[in-house]
Amino acid sequence: MKMFSRRTYLALRAFLIVVTHIWHPVIRVHGKENIPEGAAVMCSNHSAFSDPIWIIVYGNLPVLPRTMAKQELLKIPVLGALLKKLGAFPVDRSGTDISAIKTAMKTIKEGNKLVIFPEGTRIRGGKKSEPHSGALLIATRTQVPIVPIFLSRKKHPFSKIDLVFGKPYHPEYSEKHPTAEELDKLSVELMDQIYKMGENL
């Protein structure tokens, strides 16, 4: 499915800003200046289906990024179609999805941003999950920075929403390419950093 054109994307973003402010009058965006120009892997915690929309709309990105989303989500009528038009592509979480990784690599090589939720599923109630290492694999193989993102977990109507963009960084590892163990360790460290960004907001 073809993505929205830039004109349609910008118009939709303006509409979504109005809609989201009706449901959440207080929306605070922190660190937007940390978003680098060019390609980057943007990694966030995950608590709701709407998370990619918050990042895309309030990141004020001039070009629609691609988003790696679980394949089950993209099969939901209407929502799945909308997310595909917004740049989402499927990933099979049951194993190493070569097709998804190739799409992600292509996105980066074209100079675009990639949004990934390393936890792979929605995490609520203060819980944490074992993050997947795909985001770190893609970032280290393509040598682009990671942008850590924290997004409020509670999104009840009229609740305050905080969206925090952390400073971009390049992960450090021992050899030319990180080992599987290093990727796992770096992934855990990334999620710890993301949740720390959400403290004391």
Side-chain angles (χ1 to χ4, degrees):
M1 179 179 291
K2 199 172 181 181
M3 291 168 54
F4 284 129
S5 67
R6 186 172 186 273
R7 179 179 295 181
T8 302
Y9 156 57
L10 293 177
L12 180 61
R13 190 175 74 189
F15 169 74
L16 288 173
I17 287 174
V18 174
V19 171
T20 52
H21 268 287
I22 292 173
W23 285 101
H24 302 278
V26 179
I27 300 172
R28 304 189 304 183
V29 181
H30 315 258
K32 195 158 56 176
E33 69 279 1
N34 290 326
I35 302 175
E37 294 184 6
V41 178
M42 305 178 75
C43 298
S44 175
N45 61 303
H46 192 25
S47 63
F49 288 135
S50 61
D51 289 342
I53 294 175
W54 287 100
I55 293 169
I56 292 170
V57 170
Y58 288 95
N60 199 29
L61 303 175
V63 178
L64 189 59
R66 300 301 306 271
T67 304
M68 186 180 286
K70 61 181 182 180
Q71 60 183 0
E72 297 87 351
L73 183 61
L74 298 185
K75 292 178 181 179
I76 299 175
V78 183
L79 176 63
L82 174 61
L83 291 177
K84 287 179 183 177
K85 295 290 281 184
L86 284 170
F89 62 93
V91 60
D92 183 353
R93 299 174 301 162
S94 62
T96 302
D97 190 333
I98 301 300
S99 176
I101 292 175
K102 286 183 177 179
T103 300
M105 296 283 195
K106 183 174 183 290
T107 296
I108 294 296
K109 289 177 180 178
E110 290 174 348
N112 298 322
K113 290 181 174 60
L114 176 68
V115 177
I116 298 181
F117 300 94
E119 291 168 311
T121 188
R122 289 171 294 155
I123 306 297
R124 296 170 176 167
K127 298 179 181 178
K128 292 185 181 181
S129 71
E130 289 270 335
H132 298 277
S133 61
L136 269 298
L137 172 64
I138 293 164
T140 54
R141 289 297 175 92
T142 56
Q143 295 294 299
V144 298
I146 290 176
V147 180
I149 302 170
F150 175 81
L151 181 57
S152 293
R153 295 181 178 188
K154 295 181 180 179
K155 299 182 182 67
H156 306 304
F158 309 112
S159 61
K160 178 184 69 179
I161 297 292
D162 281 288
L163 176 59
V164 186
F165 294 95
K167 292 184 178 181
Y169 73 97
H170 290 271
E172 295 183 359
Y173 41 92
S174 56
E175 302 295 335
K176 182 178 180 181
H177 297 298
T179 63
E181 290 76 16
E182 285 178 313
L183 287 173
D184 289 340
K185 180 174 180 290
L186 290 169
S187 299
V188 171
E189 290 175 350
L190 168 61
M191 292 312 305
D192 286 344
Q193 178 183 350
I194 287 172
Y195 282 111
K196 187 174 181 179
M197 285 162 44
E199 296 176 359
N200 303 317
L201 287 175

